[in-house]
Amino acid sequence: MDLQKTIRDAIIAELERQAEAEDPAPKVDTREPGYAAIEGRIDLDALIMVIEGALAGGP
């Protein structure tokens, strides 16, 4: 298991989830490998929970 890839994938998935679910939704562009362009507000508590889950081996 590559921990960095697991954490990266979890962060990207959460940012994209917030971009679809939040009101107003942040704009998240992850097309460029290794970078995310974000415009708007991000729920940091939700992002932290996703990272903790990735570190603990959760979904």
Side-chain angles (χ1 to χ4, degrees):
M1 171 172 79
D2 180 4
L3 188 57
Q4 286 184 341
K5 181 178 180 343
T6 301
I7 293 170
R8 178 183 296 117
D9 291 347
I11 290 170
I12 290 171
E14 175 59 18
L15 291 174
E16 290 174 347
R17 185 201 68 77
Q18 287 188 31
E20 294 173 358
E22 298 293 316
D23 186 33
K27 295 177 183 169
V28 178
D29 180 358
T30 57
R31 291 178 291 181
E32 185 178 355
Y35 295 91
I38 303 167
E39 181 182 329
R41 295 170 40 142
I42 298 296
D43 181 345
L44 290 178
D45 289 335
L47 186 59
I48 289 167
M49 287 189 342
V50 165
I51 295 168
E52 289 174 335
L55 290 172

